[in-house]
Amino acid sequence: MRAARGILFGLAVAFGAVLPAFAENTGLKRLGHPSDILGWEAVGRLDFSGGYCTGVLVAPDLVLTAAHCIYDTRSGAERSTDKMRFRAGYHDGRAVAEMKVIRAVADPDYRPRGGTGAENTRHDVALLQLEYAIPSTMAQPFNLHSGLAVGQRVSVVSYGRGRSEALSRQKECGLLRREAGLMAFDCDVTHGSSGAPVFVRESGRARILSLISAGRSADGKTISFGMELPEIVASLKYGLRGARSSGLTASAGAKRITVGTGAGGKPTVRRLGNSGGAKFVRAKGN
């Protein structure tokens, strides 16, 4: 426990100065031509009133993104899903598919007013349900991955300020550190990159290792931060199944749905009242 606290303290210091991240030339490629996005169609732009994030399909009707993307940057209230749209493979005004978001489930340990510290970044994950499934023939969902060692190479596919009209892919960046459920990368991120998937190759197929939560720029270099995903995503999927069976929705005026722990350690679903705050959010992207 003492060792774990030491790790968290070190990461908290690193995360304490988290800022919007801007990097030097890092090999980003704009995937603006339809042929460029082949294989990446499941990554899309999550649009909402006042901005956007990046999201990725993990099932035909489920989008994974950062939890802070479901909060309004000014009022601190949960964003209405009535104005949320996921645009798979969006580029230059067109998308492979566009779907309305009808439900949103966030990690219950994420705190909208909790800032960008290590503990909050660890839980900065949300799962969104689409109104209709996107056929896998149009956009093949990605699977999750775990077990990568520090020092191996990863890639990031995202939207961002100054590159919001097409996906950009950084083919290679590095996993710098992985401790206590958190990860640090030397990947190029900016506003709008929130929720972007960090990929690792396994058996010739890209799998999602983490999501971009935030980033910082120091000494001309960019560091971006993410979290471990498998346990969180499994819990959120359970929560969405419970929400569907309970008939809960997250349309205009409804509250965000989250997952708690009930009797016997099983997840339960409950409505939340309004709560405030957001992070890594700007009017033109998050």
Side-chain angles (χ1 to χ4, degrees):
M1 180 65 71
R2 183 173 299 176
R5 286 177 180 172
I7 291 170
L8 285 172
F9 177 77
L11 286 170
V13 171
F15 278 67
V18 169
L19 299 169
F22 301 92
E24 67 283 0
N25 184 5
T26 53
L28 280 171
K29 178 183 178 181
R30 185 181 191 272
L31 308 182
H33 191 274
S35 62
D36 291 339
I37 67 169
L38 291 175
W40 305 109
E41 299 94 338
V43 183
R45 205 174 76 178
L46 177 65
D47 290 350
F48 43 79
S49 178
Y52 61 89
C53 280
T54 303
V56 59
L57 289 170
V58 291
D61 65 339
L62 297 179
V63 174
L64 194 62
T65 191
H68 71 262
C69 295
I70 69 173
Y71 292 94
D72 183 88
T73 179
R74 295 176 180 173
S75 69
E78 293 88 358
R79 300 185 189 278
S80 169
T81 58
D82 277 356
K83 296 183 179 180
M84 282 189 189
R85 299 291 185 275
F86 177 70
R87 296 181 165 95
Y90 175 84
H91 65 281
D92 295 332
R94 297 182 179 182
V96 171
E98 177 177 339
M99 291 292 170
K100 176 183 175 181
V101 176
I102 60 171
R103 293 184 182 90
V105 181
D107 187 310
D109 291 321
Y110 176 74
R111 298 291 178 259
R113 296 187 184 275
T116 55
E119 185 64 20
N120 224 25
T121 298
R122 186 207 319 273
H123 300 289
D124 191 11
V125 184
L127 194 61
L128 314 179
Q129 183 184 354
L130 303 178
E131 186 174 20
Y132 301 105
I134 297 176
S136 59
T137 53
M138 301 175 67
Q140 179 68 44
F142 288 99
N143 293 324
L144 301 184
H145 176 80
S146 62
L148 189 70
V150 173
Q152 293 193 28
R153 307 307 286 172
V154 298
S155 63
V156 175
V157 180
S158 70
Y159 296 90
R161 188 163 65 188
R163 50 181 193 257
S164 62
E165 290 303 305
L167 281 169
S168 293
R169 182 188 179 208
Q170 186 175 4
K171 187 176 181 180
E172 186 173 286
C173 49
L175 173 57
L176 303 176
R177 190 171 181 180
R178 182 177 188 173
E179 297 182 60
L182 295 165
M183 302 185 200
F185 309 95
D186 62 355
C187 301
D188 186 346
V189 298
T190 185
H191 294 294
S193 298
S194 294
V198 179
F199 290 109
V200 61
R201 284 281 177 181
E202 181 180 61
S203 302
R205 173 70 173 165
R207 292 180 180 269
I208 304 168
L209 175 67
S210 185
L211 298 178
I212 296 298
S213 173
R216 58 183 269 223
S217 182
D219 300 325
K221 297 181 180 180
T222 299
I223 300 176
S224 49
F225 302 98
M227 71 300 291
E228 302 276 359
L229 287 172
E231 290 186 9
I232 295 175
V233 174
S235 179
L236 296 183
K237 285 182 176 179
Y238 189 103
L240 273 181
R241 288 196 296 270
R244 288 196 293 264
S245 64
S246 301
L248 295 178
T249 62
S251 56
K255 308 306 181 187
R256 179 171 56 89
I257 300 166
T258 191
V259 185
T261 302
K266 293 184 178 180
T268 59
V269 180
R270 65 181 185 274
R271 290 180 184 268
L272 290 186
N274 287 337
S275 51
K279 69 187 183 70
F280 207 42
V281 175
R282 292 286 176 88
K284 296 300 182 180
N286 300 280

